[in-house]
Amino acid sequence: MYAMTTATAALPACAPAPVWARRAAHAIALCAVPSGLWRIAMASGVPVGYSDQVLRDVFDIPGWGIAYVVGLSVLTELAALFPLLLVSDRWRPLHPRVLAPLAWIASGILVLVALWQLVVAFTVESQTYLSSGTAQTVWGFVFAPLFAIPALMTAVTWSYAQRHRVVFRP
């Protein structure tokens, strides 16, 4: 006789993700695109506001800095795709009891990273590398969408937890 184990047991059906949560999850993935393209342009040698000396001395471009900058862009976009798991009705790689705490932890980390990035963005050192006001404005526009991610991620996580009635208890 075949006994169902936790690994083979079907997950209980839950309500589909609301439209706003699906849109928010997709918006998270799109918010990471401008900064990723900007970094890839920087790695490709497109002038993005840094002098050649700053690219060589600070970012090691050309050199290993290219792998770092492109890798960071790819990693950022992959991480930005994570919320799509929270709104997917077809694919559930992890049980809600595992996925919900991971999502809440990711939301908390994103809030901390966003706060840290605000501090870095307004320090004197970070502003001295960019060569002009235009470059700083473009940089601001391509990185600004990243600051929407923590709020969007928290909303998508809340929706997922509500639909699955999972409460994170440390």
Side-chain angles (χ1 to χ4, degrees):
M1 193 156 246
Y2 178 73
M4 261 192 163
T5 64
T6 306
T8 59
L11 290 173
C14 68
V19 174
W20 68 263
R22 289 181 186 279
R23 287 183 180 157
H26 285 85
I28 291 170
L30 292 175
C31 283
V33 171
S35 61
L37 292 175
W38 184 87
R39 284 189 206 104
I40 290 171
M42 182 174 82
S44 301
V46 174
V48 292
Y50 293 121
S51 68
D52 289 340
Q53 182 179 356
V54 169
L55 287 174
R56 275 191 312 276
D57 297 345
V58 177
F59 297 105
D60 196 24
I61 294 174
W64 285 103
I66 293 172
Y68 168 75
V69 170
V70 171
L72 183 60
S73 296
V74 170
L75 184 64
T76 301
E77 192 57 46
L78 286 175
L81 294 174
F82 171 73
L84 295 175
L85 293 176
L86 302 176
V87 296
S88 175
D89 295 329
R90 290 186 245 166
W91 191 60
R92 297 183 191 170
L94 297 172
H95 194 279
R97 288 186 195 163
V98 175
L99 193 56
L102 283 176
W104 282 118
I105 291 167
S107 293
I109 290 171
L110 286 169
V111 169
L112 292 175
V113 168
L115 292 173
W116 173 65
Q117 286 298 315
L118 280 173
V119 170
V120 170
F122 292 110
T123 61
V124 175
E125 182 180 340
S126 68
Q127 294 198 10
T128 59
Y129 290 139
L130 288 170
S131 59
S132 70
T134 303
Q136 289 175 344
T137 302
V138 170
W139 179 87
F141 277 119
V142 298
F143 280 90
L146 293 178
F147 291 108
I149 291 176
L152 292 169
M153 181 65 185
T154 302
V156 171
T157 301
W158 178 83
S159 170
Y160 180 83
Q162 291 298 308
R163 287 182 297 114
H164 291 279
R165 301 287 187 250
V166 176
V167 179
F168 178 57
R169 293 185 182 112

